[in-house]
Amino acid sequence: MILFLSLFACTDNTLMGSTESASDFGVTGGGAQDFGKFKEILEEGGIPGPETIDDVGFFAEHSIELPEAMCEGSICLHSQVGHMGNMISGSDCTVLQLGMNAPAELVDWERPPLNLVIAVDVSGSMKGDNMSALKSGLHQMLPALQPTDLVSFVAFNKSAEVVVNAAPGDGEGLGAAIDGLTPGGGTDIYEGLRTAYDQGVAFDTDENTTRVMLVSDGIATEGLTDTARILNLAEAYNDEGIGLTTIGLGQDFDIELMRGLAEEGGGAFYFLQDVDAVTEVFSEEVSSFLVPLAEDVTIDVAVYDDYLLRSVYGSHDFQLTDQRARLDLDILQTAHREGADDNESGRRGGGGALILEMLPVGDPGAGPVGRLDFSYTDTRTGERVLKEELIMSGVAPGTVGEGGWFEGETVEKGFVMLNLYVGFEIAAERSNHGDYSAAWSTLNALEENVGAYVLENPDADLEDDLVYVRLFMDNIEREQVLIEVQEVEPWPAD
């Protein structure tokens, strides 16, 4: 996954891009790694609510190639600028994108031992396919473990029990413990999570990395069920250096709680809709996501007087003023996917974005747009790395033509991704309020404009997005036979 930063100013030359080298491998700040719940609802003929799509998760399902990572330290930055009218209402936008990747030699970095605690929901709702898929995924995870790792299993329903107590990663009893998981009873997520954290603390040392994984298919029904209290638990332990990854299974899990826990816990969130997804996530999470490349990460963007910052997409951990945005991330980790065509087991963990929409308040020309300050602690060396960079535009926004101008293919794809996300968000919100005509019209504009773009610029991620644009339109048509085509409204921040 690649974390990239884009600034949107709501201006329009022909689409163009430079040929770029493939990324060594991408970098992610964690959080949601897919928008699978949103897609599953569409696949089943439904209309998803706005709570089921998240900008972090949406961008994580896209892989973006960056220039070769040739920098000192673990993380390289690449900034690019573009200008074009958006693909929904045509309002002019200026785009600045910052991408991050890591040098190839880090692939062979020997990770430190893990102290891994997996809290598994064994409530009654896990019977059947969910439990079978979970067991399959846990078995697939085992080869990714090392003999020096410590692995614990906590099974929880209306109570919690440690069923594997810090066994070595090559322990013979791990497979038998997985097979022995038996569902039944209610769901006390707080108790399962608290027990897992206690287990993690008990075996935490200076030599290992302690992480907790929470797997559940349901909503908290037993014990302490207050969402704020459960989130506070994850935040408190994250402050002590114990990260949390959450995995939601099935139809009825609390997506906002599981996503929020991952954010508070400095880890990743996944929705698993099939066995292939389950097996991929457990093995990839151990091999890449559980050990960070960087910690205590700060991205500070200041724009100059010709712009005002309006809104932020791609993270929930930011502070925003009229001309400054600051993002604080607990960790940066390596990505799962290696490219847009790497989607055999799903698209999750491929890309990411931090996107700020700007409003031009002067007449900006070519040259400096703003300043970027970037800092992190390199987990390999323990050193604090500081980088500063001017944000530059190669052209004046007011001089570009109808087709737009982009410095490179990376920022061009990011621009299209943002349009798709905003379109999905608007359609979900309008549908939620019963305004199906406005929702359909927004999607129709996307289908026409992104469809035309993809014909000229084939891309597996964007082509897949279009499948869900069309599904959404079809589902709306079944919901309301008569659709009145409307003039598309501007984006909410325009």
Side-chain angles (χ1 to χ4, degrees), residues 123 157-158 185-190 218-225 230:
S123 63
N157 43 34
K158 64 180 180 181
T187 308
D188 191 337
I189 291 177
Y190 184 92
I219 298 170
T221 60
E222 302 278 351
L224 200 159
T225 60
I230 301 174

Side-chain angles (χ1 to χ4, degrees), residues 185-205:
T187 308
D188 191 337
I189 291 177
Y190 184 92
E191 183 64 17
L193 189 55
R194 186 196 62 79
T195 303
Y197 277 128
D198 287 346
Q199 182 74 5
V201 168
F203 295 94
D204 185 37
T205 70

Side-chain angles (χ1 to χ4, degrees), residues 137 140-141 144 278-288:
Q140 291 291 325
M141 174 195 72
V278 172
T279 57
E280 178 201 28
V281 163
F282 278 105
S283 59
E284 293 290 349
E285 183 71 15
V286 170
S287 61
S288 61

Side-chain angles (χ1 to χ4, degrees), residues 188-464:
D188 191 337
I189 291 177
Y190 184 92
E191 183 64 17
L193 189 55
R194 186 196 62 79
T195 303
Y197 277 128
D198 287 346
Q199 182 74 5
V201 168
F203 295 94
D204 185 37
T205 70
D206 292 337
E207 287 71 41
N208 62 27
T209 297
T210 298
R211 304 285 290 187
V212 171
M213 296 175 68
L214 172 67
V215 187
S216 177
D217 77 329
I219 298 170
T221 60
E222 302 278 351
L224 200 159
T225 60
D226 181 67
T227 296
R229 292 284 300 276
I230 301 174
L231 292 175
N232 287 342
L233 182 68
E235 181 182 17
Y237 278 97
N238 186 40
D239 289 342
E240 299 299 318
I242 299 179
L244 172 67
T245 286
T246 60
I247 298 173
L249 288 165
Q251 298 296 316
D252 300 321
F253 73 95
D254 188 336
I255 188 171
E256 293 182 282
L257 173 62
M258 297 291 276
R259 190 163 57 204
L261 282 170
E263 292 171 353
E264 296 293 347
F269 159 72
Y270 303 90
F271 166 66
L272 304 184
Q273 67 272 31
D274 54 41
V275 173
D276 287 341
V278 172
T279 57
E280 178 201 28
V281 163
F282 278 105
S283 59
E284 293 290 349
E285 183 71 15
V286 170
S287 61
S288 61
F289 258 36
L290 289 179
V291 180
L293 293 175
E295 297 176 331
D296 300 325
V297 182
T298 298
I299 299 174
D300 200 334
V301 177
V303 297
Y304 295 150
D305 291 341
D306 285 330
Y307 297 97
L308 292 177
L309 295 176
R310 295 290 299 273
S311 59
V312 178
Y313 301 89
S315 174
H316 305 148
D317 298 318
F318 63 85
Q319 302 171 11
L320 178 67
T321 62
D322 284 347
Q323 292 185 298
R324 189 170 182 177
R326 177 187 170 102
L327 173 70
D328 293 297
L329 297 170
D330 295 308
I331 56 174
L332 292 174
Q333 302 160 311
T334 58
H336 291 185
R337 295 176 68 205
E338 298 179 358
D341 294 325
D342 177 14
N343 54 19
E344 183 177 350
S345 298
R347 289 170 49 191
R348 67 188 55 79
L354 174 65
I355 300 174
L356 293 82
E357 185 177 355
M358 298 194 306
L359 176 70
V361 293
D363 187 17
V369 171
R371 188 190 75 252
L372 169 72
D373 295 314
F374 175 59
S375 62
Y376 64 91
T377 298
D378 192 321
T379 55
R380 297 180 304 152
T381 64
E383 296 178 353
R384 190 71 183 168
V385 180
L386 305 174
K387 299 184 180 183
E388 297 179 358
E389 181 178 316
L390 275 179
I391 300 167
M392 303 291 292
S393 174
V395 298
T399 64
V400 297
E402 182 179 349
W405 177 90
F406 292 93
E407 184 178 346
E409 295 172 0
T410 299
V411 64
E412 190 172 350
K413 179 173 177 178
F415 174 85
V416 179
M417 287 162 48
L418 178 65
N419 280 266
L420 284 158
Y421 169 73
V422 171
F424 279 135
E425 184 181 48
I426 292 173
E429 290 175 348
R430 297 293 187 271
S431 297
N432 191 52
H433 289 92
D435 191 351
Y436 295 111
S437 291
W440 189 94
S441 298
T442 298
L443 294 166
N444 184 56
L446 269 185
E447 199 276 335
E448 291 179 0
N449 293 316
V450 177
Y453 173 83
V454 169
L455 284 176
E456 297 293 327
N457 305 272
D459 181 275
D461 288 338
L462 302 179
E463 290 165 7
D464 194 43

Side-chain angles (χ1 to χ4, degrees), residues 114-127:
L114 284 172
N115 173 30
L116 176 62
V117 186
I118 304 175
V120 179
D121 183 346
V122 292
S123 63
S125 60
M126 285 288 291
K127 291 179 180 177

Side-chain angles (χ1 to χ4, degrees), residues 23-42:
S23 304
D24 292 74
F25 59 94
V27 173
T28 175
Q33 297 301 301
D34 57 58
F35 69 120
K37 186 67 175 177
F38 183 91
K39 294 193 299 185
E40 184 183 63
I41 293 170
L42 290 174

